[in-house]
Amino acid sequence: MTNRRGPNYELRALLTEAGWTQEALARAVNALGAEIGAVLRYDRTAVAHWLAGTQPRHPVPQLAAEALTRRIGRSVTPEAAGFPAVSRGAVPVDPVAGFTALCRADADAGRRVPLHQRPYRVADTAVPGPPGPPALGGPLGGRTVATLALSDAVVFFAGSIDTHGGRHARSALAAYLADDVAPLLHAGLTQRLRAEVLVTASRLAFLLARMYEDGLLHGVAQRYYTYAHRLAGEAGDRSAWSVVVRAMSAQAQRLGHLSSALQLAEAAHRGARSAPPAQQAYVQTQLAVVLARSGDRREALTAIARAERAADRATSPAAPFDSYPRAALHFQTSAVLESLGDLQGALAALRRAAGERSAADVRGRALTQARFGQLLLRTGHLDEACAAWDGFLAAQERLRSGEAERAVRDMRRALQPHRNRKPAAELLARTVRGR
């Protein structure tokens, strides 16, 4: 920590406005630290030092400002919270320039750590409306001679996430974006080819966002999602734009920001009305999940029915961004039914999801089994839950995935009350040995 002159009256005023104690702010900062993969243990004493004028090190000012933003409901900057300004440079208005700067910072080991410490910002969940009608005829993002290498990269990195988890090959994708994709976006391309490259770059940015999200680095994941939807918008591709905004909704939902998640899901729904059936199914399942979490039973069931009809119409090949696996549809259906209180229906949907997961989708299979274990335990089936978790752990050991690691912790918490039962004790001992 470093010192600043005089007490921090700005922070004290914001604490009063928020109705927070010093301990409450410390807890909120610690919780935000978990969203960027940092283990923080601040308490009221630390906040007392900040109020007295001590300047915490990066990224704590940013985390404190975001915590106050969420609590108060308006944007609070670190400077408004009484922390000295940090030079960030101008934010590029042009999406290509901003995306290029982000990729280069991420590929630079010396600049990567501050980037990864950026908090998730609720204020940044607001997105503009979908792009207008495309100026170019025909769909974008197809596999063409000019975009062959980029298309191969999409297939490779999408498969890597499913097979190995989001923490695998992440730096490789960041370097590929900085060294190969960004220069293409600045090259003198024809209008049609530039639009094709923009859509493919959007897909690769989306995949890197997924990697960071799976690694529980939510702030940098949000930045890549933001540029993914901006690049798709620049190309005029409403379908690609909607796919990204749908993923942003799922991220907001997982982090507990239900209002933002619903706004994003509804924006994706509006943008995907003329999208191919597979993309419509993908968008509708997320809308259904958020509506169910919001308590809107009728609209949630309507959205999941739309997703099922769209999935039935989908005939596209099993390629990233051009298909929506039935297993994923069943997985989301289970989440909808669970939120609506239909645990038996949720279990039945999860069984279908587990049965239809591709052998290559190790991550999806693992997370399905983890959810299966939780639901089985909730319905009083300890032995079956332990069998499901046994399958989950077998798959989890092959992954580099923060989501899978969190599922292990959730499993351990769920099994603690049953630790004297043999199957539960064996699983708990197994996860201790695996640490």
Side-chain angles (χ1 to χ4, degrees):
M1 290 188 180
T2 57
N3 289 321
R4 66 188 286 275
R5 294 181 181 176
N8 189 336
Y9 296 115
E10 297 93 339
L11 181 59
R12 188 173 297 280
L14 287 167
L15 279 179
T16 300
E17 184 180 351
W20 263 355
T21 63
Q22 296 172 22
E23 180 65 31
L25 176 59
R27 285 197 303 268
V29 168
N30 293 341
L32 277 170
E35 292 183 11
I36 59 171
V39 178
L40 303 179
R41 296 186 176 87
Y42 288 108
D43 57 21
R44 61 170 299 278
T45 305
V47 179
H49 285 302
W50 304 344
L51 290 167
T54 301
Q55 163 74 3
R57 291 195 176 119
H58 177 83
V60 173
Q62 290 77 17
L63 297 178
E66 176 61 21
L68 289 162
T69 294
R70 297 182 186 183
R71 174 69 174 183
I72 295 171
R74 62 176 175 81
S75 179
V76 176
T77 65
E79 295 79 15
F83 299 119
V86 177
S87 176
R88 299 181 183 87
V91 177
V93 175
D94 174 51
V96 172
F99 177 64
T100 300
L102 174 62
C103 296
R104 288 174 179 167
D106 201 7
D108 183 339
R111 300 162 63 195
R112 185 180 298 146
V113 172
L115 174 65
H116 292 184
Q117 291 177 333
R118 177 191 188 276
Y120 180 91
R121 296 175 181 166
V122 173
D124 291 352
T125 58
V127 299
L136 302 165
L140 296 169
R143 188 179 176 85
T144 67
V145 173
T147 62
L148 188 60
L150 300 181
S151 298
D152 285 345
V154 169
V155 173
F156 173 80
F157 286 109
S160 175
I161 296 170
D162 292 341
T163 304
H164 304 293
R167 288 177 175 159
H168 178 81
R170 195 168 63 196
S171 59
L173 179 49
Y176 179 69
L177 286 170
D179 295 342
D180 293 80
V181 179
L184 264 181
L185 294 172
H186 294 273
L189 305 175
T190 65
Q191 185 181 11
R192 175 75 191 192
L193 181 53
R194 185 172 187 273
E196 293 281 5
V197 172
L198 281 167
V199 169
T200 312
S202 168
R203 291 177 173 180
L204 289 166
F206 174 97
L207 292 173
L208 188 50
R210 276 196 63 203
M211 287 177 167
Y212 277 122
E213 188 179 1
D214 189 51
L216 308 183
L217 293 174
H218 288 282
V220 67
Q222 183 186 35
R223 288 201 70 182
Y224 275 106
Y225 278 135
T226 297
Y227 278 111
H229 86 68
R230 291 186 68 192
L231 293 172
E234 182 79 359
D237 192 316
R238 294 170 67 95
S239 176
W241 182 91
S242 299
V243 164
V244 179
V245 174
R246 183 269 194 202
M248 295 173 70
S249 170
Q251 184 187 26
Q253 170 214 317
R254 280 189 281 270
L255 292 174
H257 309 302
L258 195 57
S259 175
S260 296
L262 182 57
Q263 291 174 14
L264 289 163
E266 289 173 338
H269 164 63
R270 290 191 295 271
R273 283 173 178 156
S274 60
Q279 285 88 338
Q280 288 189 28
Y282 178 71
V283 166
Q284 290 300 322
T285 55
Q286 174 58 22
L287 179 60
V289 169
V290 181
L291 288 167
R293 293 280 176 91
S294 303
D296 194 336
R297 180 183 184 87
R298 183 176 66 84
E299 290 299 322
L301 293 176
T302 298
I304 206 66
R306 283 197 300 261
E308 290 169 352
R309 291 194 297 271
D312 288 340
R313 297 196 308 272
T315 58
S316 53
F321 298 93
D322 292 328
S323 62
Y324 187 53
R326 277 281 176 178
L329 173 62
H330 296 321
F331 188 83
Q332 293 291 84
T333 300
S334 173
V336 170
L337 295 175
E338 182 182 359
S339 293
L340 297 177
D342 182 1
L343 297 187
Q344 293 304 318
L347 280 170
L350 270 185
R351 285 192 179 93
R352 291 193 294 273
E356 296 191 32
R357 286 287 184 192
S358 161
D361 187 7
V362 178
R363 179 180 175 277
R365 184 178 294 276
L367 295 178
T368 299
Q369 290 297 109
R371 175 91 72 83
F372 201 24
Q374 293 285 352
L375 274 179
L376 284 165
L377 189 62
R378 283 185 62 188
T379 53
H381 299 88
L382 175 63
D383 289 344
E384 289 182 59
C386 289
W389 273 320
D390 181 72
F392 158 64
L393 289 178
Q396 184 266 336
E397 290 167 358
R398 299 168 54 188
L399 295 169
R400 294 178 60 193
S401 164
E403 286 290 345
E405 290 171 6
R406 183 162 61 185
V408 172
R409 294 191 291 272
D410 291 343
M411 180 198 75
R412 288 185 57 82
R413 281 193 294 271
L415 286 176
Q416 278 301 318
H418 309 279
R419 58 187 178 277
N420 294 327
R421 299 278 298 274
K422 182 179 178 181
E426 288 176 348
L427 284 175
L428 289 169
R430 180 175 167 187
T431 55
V432 169
R433 289 195 303 268
R435 286 182 174 180

